[in-house]
Amino acid sequence: MTAQEGRTYRAQAIVLGHFEYGEADRILKLYTLEKGKVSAIAKGVRKIRSRKAGHLEPFTQVNLFLAQGRDLDIITQAEATNLMMGLREDLHRMALASYVVEVLDRFTYEEGPNPHLFRLLSQTLNRLDAHINLETVIHFYEVRLLDLTGYRPQLFTCIDCGETIQAQDQFFSPLGGGVACPKCGQRRAEAWSVDLNVLRYLRHLQRSNWAAVSMLTIPPDAHKGIQALIEAYFTYLLERRLNTPEFLRKVQGLQNGGGKDD
């Protein structure tokens, strides 16, 4: 809904993160419907009387009014449309949301609008805020994000010989961008074995819409296998590890009693 008037415009945005600037300002990283990923400055937002502060926290979905600046656009008005309170009141959900935001941030640049990515981010944060099958929410997001950023893995035919993948354990090659059959996979030094059940759930997530998987509960073993495969694939594509998976594992450990004294 871009409505530019001279040097001002409106934007629907999701706050990815921010850092302090000067004595009272804050620079925000935003993902917007109209312009994709952008950085903007909120002047005076750290002052006690600032009316914008509560509307510009990470994960918040917000309508903005901005003025074009020389280096950074300036946020002049902000009205939150969803504060995501369910995320803020639950450390596990907040850790998952941090992961979702980091993944999108690492895979995108300030290169113009991508409405499909904006909607995926918005829908995923809303699902984390309210949904119960959190692992399904996350894995659906990961698979869709790979689709939308051009890294969709081949899961149904062998990347080398082209034969249809059969009901048996396979190999996954990050270099080849998908699954290799047992014969071909053994010839790939960079490939690792993939449990058939893990592959089955990944294929289901890739070929289905959200309505078809929303009530899907992924078993713990399959979840761990998907988590390991996706994390390794992301590391290969990005050429560096993400920060949030380790934080997420610590949060999960605390919830499982790992952080308690004996």
Side-chain angles (χ1 to χ4, degrees):
M1 70 177 188
T2 303
Q4 288 189 276
E5 298 176 4
R7 297 181 61 204
T8 62
Y9 65 96
R10 297 181 183 273
Q12 296 180 47
I14 297 169
V15 181
L16 303 181
H18 58 62
F19 62 90
E20 318 298 12
Y21 183 77
E23 294 184 359
D25 303 339
R26 185 170 283 161
I27 294 177
L28 292 100
K29 188 177 292 184
L30 309 164
Y31 203 86
T32 71
L33 176 62
E34 295 79 5
K35 292 193 170 188
K37 189 164 71 175
V38 300
S39 296
I41 188 167
K43 293 183 175 292
V45 73
R46 290 156 54 203
K47 294 181 179 178
I48 295 176
R49 295 182 180 180
S50 173
R51 296 181 178 180
K52 294 191 291 285
H55 298 265
L56 294 172
E57 291 300 312
F59 320 130
T60 299
Q61 300 188 29
V62 58
N63 288 331
L64 298 175
F65 196 73
L66 301 99
Q68 294 177 337
R70 179 177 300 176
D71 298 314
L72 290 170
D73 290 353
I74 302 165
I75 298 171
T76 58
Q77 294 181 32
E79 182 180 359
T81 57
N82 192 334
L83 292 171
M84 296 294 175
M85 295 308 296
L87 297 180
R88 304 184 195 289
E89 295 170 355
D90 185 316
L91 182 59
H92 183 212
R93 290 175 191 263
M94 188 171 68
L96 289 171
S98 298
Y99 168 74
V100 164
V101 163
E102 184 187 15
V103 169
L104 180 124
D105 188 25
R106 293 285 185 88
F107 273 96
T108 57
Y109 303 91
E110 295 190 8
E111 55 189 3
N114 188 325
H116 296 295
L117 266 180
F118 177 86
R119 283 192 286 271
L120 176 65
L121 176 62
S122 175
Q123 290 166 352
T124 301
L125 292 175
N126 276 283
R127 288 163 187 160
L128 288 177
D129 191 51
H131 209 267
I132 55 173
N133 294 330
L134 300 181
E135 290 81 8
T136 302
V137 173
I138 290 297
H139 293 321
F140 184 81
Y141 167 76
E142 292 166 332
V143 170
R144 284 291 169 273
L145 181 131
L146 287 169
D147 284 355
L148 294 173
T149 53
Y151 296 106
R152 177 186 176 96
Q154 173 56 259
L155 302 178
F156 292 89
T157 59
C158 175
I159 56 173
D160 288 327
C161 68
E163 293 295 320
T164 300
I165 294 298
Q166 302 299 316
Q168 57 183 316
D169 292 353
Q170 308 291 334
F171 285 81
F172 187 88
S173 166
L175 178 62
V179 175
C181 69
K183 182 178 179 180
C184 296
Q186 291 175 4
R187 296 197 290 262
R188 284 183 166 270
E190 85 289 352
W192 63 84
S193 61
V194 178
D195 180 79
L196 173 62
N197 207 34
V198 169
L199 182 57
R200 182 179 289 122
Y201 278 102
L202 275 174
R203 285 157 56 122
H204 182 39
L205 289 165
Q206 190 181 76
R207 67 189 173 204
S208 304
N209 59 26
W210 175 249
V213 301
S214 61
M215 299 310 296
L216 175 68
T217 300
I218 300 175
D221 287 347
H223 163 59
K224 290 179 181 178
I226 296 171
Q227 191 176 45
L229 186 151
I230 293 291
E231 186 174 342
Y233 192 36
F234 280 175
T235 299
Y236 173 82
L237 294 173
L238 297 169
E239 299 183 338
R240 59 179 295 188
R241 291 184 177 275
L242 296 165
N243 295 323
T244 46
E246 185 59 33
F247 171 59
L248 185 54
R249 281 189 280 271
K250 290 179 180 179
V251 170
Q252 291 171 329
L254 289 172
Q255 290 193 329
N256 293 332
K260 295 179 180 180
D261 294 334
D262 294 331

